[in-house]
Amino acid sequence: NAGVMQNPRHLVRRRGQEARLRCSPMKGHSHVYWYRQLPEEGLKFMVYLQKENIIDESGMPKERFSAEFPKEGPSILRIQQVVRGDSAAYFCASSPPGQGPIYGYTFGSGTRLTVV
Amino acid sequence: DAKTTQPTSMDCAEGRAANLPCNHSTISGNEYVYWYRQIHSQGPQYIIHGLKNNETNEMASLIITEDRKSSTLILPHATLRDTAVYYCIVRGGSARQLTFGSGTQLTVLP
């Protein structure tokens, strides 16, 4: 049973370009979460999605960032017009439906974004 | 979610038990205590969670005080591969996201 798959593992973008980060949840998981970890800092929650719905985007920057989790395919975190401050590790996690807060959820290995 | 307080860093000798403390004095009745760890540059790894009772699994034990204001994660026989940042997180009710603090950097020494 494959874990949470994130790609690419490393992504280099020039300032002003777009970055697209993909996350395929574990089989049977319908809840996806995105977190960002800036260098030498802890993980910060960004957004929580279910299939075709954004449930909580309270941690998302107001501009340039968007996320989706379509009915088919992976969840996508999109960063438009990247700036150097967007350089970070972006982690995706998934959980099964209906489990509530009882169980922890599974993280992927992350995408390291470097903006040059 | 309740705020947690952990020591910034700890050392432990290989083969000995590692005891990582966490204070969560403002925890409410429906909030669980979770422990995750992050080995350098990897995604966080779930370790264990508990509500009131002590818990044990193949990775660790979790001891929660009777008043639930603090807990201790115990790695019974630490190995070099247990060197990581350990996060104590309190989460409950309908909250889905985890709020990570600064964690404890555990270094297992040979």
Side-chain angles (χ1 to χ4, degrees):
Chain A
N1 184 17
V4 177
M5 304 301 292
Q6 290 189 249
N7 66 81
R9 289 296 303 275
H10 300 275
L11 181 62
V12 179
R13 284 288 178 264
R14 296 185 185 278
R15 282 179 295 170
Q17 290 185 320
E18 178 180 286
R20 291 170 67 88
L21 288 63
R22 296 175 187 79
C23 170
S24 296
M26 288 184 68
K27 187 176 181 181
H29 287 195
S30 58
H31 298 219
V32 165
Y33 315 80
W34 286 93
Y35 287 76
R36 176 167 67 172
Q37 187 170 32
L38 296 169
E40 307 303 324
E41 294 189 16
L43 288 91
K44 303 295 183 187
F45 167 77
M46 299 181 75
V47 62
Y48 159 40
L49 310 101
Q50 296 178 18
K51 286 283 187 180
E52 300 185 279
N53 284 301
I54 296 174
I55 306 302
D56 181 352
E57 56 182 347
S58 59
M60 287 279 272
K62 299 300 181 189
E63 297 178 346
R64 301 188 297 108
F65 285 72
S66 63
E68 63 177 6
F69 189 17
K71 186 176 180 180
E72 301 291 337
S75 175
I76 305 289
L77 179 68
R78 179 192 296 179
I79 311 172
Q80 295 178 301
Q81 299 177 313
V82 297
V83 302
R84 288 219 170 107
D86 297 331
S87 295
Y90 292 83
F91 292 98
C92 169
S94 72
S95 68
Q99 296 282 351
I102 303 297
Y103 300 99
Y105 42 69
T106 304
F107 282 85
S109 299
T111 293
R112 273 89 185 153
L113 172 65
T114 302
V115 179
V116 297
Chain B
D1 290 345
K3 179 180 172 60
T4 62
T5 304
Q6 299 177 253
T8 302
S9 63
M10 294 181 62
D11 291 341
C12 176
E14 187 178 18
R16 305 296 292 268
N19 297 278
L20 292 90
C22 179
N23 287 322
H24 33 77
S25 58
T26 59
I27 193 171
S28 58
N30 65 348
E31 289 183 313
Y32 287 74
V33 179
Y34 289 81
W35 284 83
Y36 280 77
R37 72 180 182 183
Q38 187 176 25
I39 297 171
H40 181 63
S41 297
Q42 298 181 20
Q45 177 188 23
Y46 166 79
I47 301 173
I48 199 167
H49 74 280
L51 181 63
K52 296 180 182 178
N53 301 321
N54 298 336
E55 302 289 344
T56 296
N57 62 22
E58 64 278 6
M59 289 183 68
S61 295
L62 174 60
I63 308 299
I64 303 174
T65 57
E66 192 169 343
D67 63 8
R68 303 210 320 125
K69 293 185 177 182
S70 65
S71 60
T72 301
L73 178 74
I74 301 172
L75 307 179
H77 306 286
T79 70
L80 299 178
R81 286 177 293 183
D82 292 322
T83 292
V85 178
Y86 287 77
Y87 296 98
C88 169
I89 299 166
V90 172
R91 169 183 168 221
S94 59
R96 297 295 299 209
Q97 66 266 33
L98 299 172
T99 301
F100 288 82
S102 300
T104 296
Q105 170 66 59
L106 174 69
T107 302
V108 180
L109 303 171

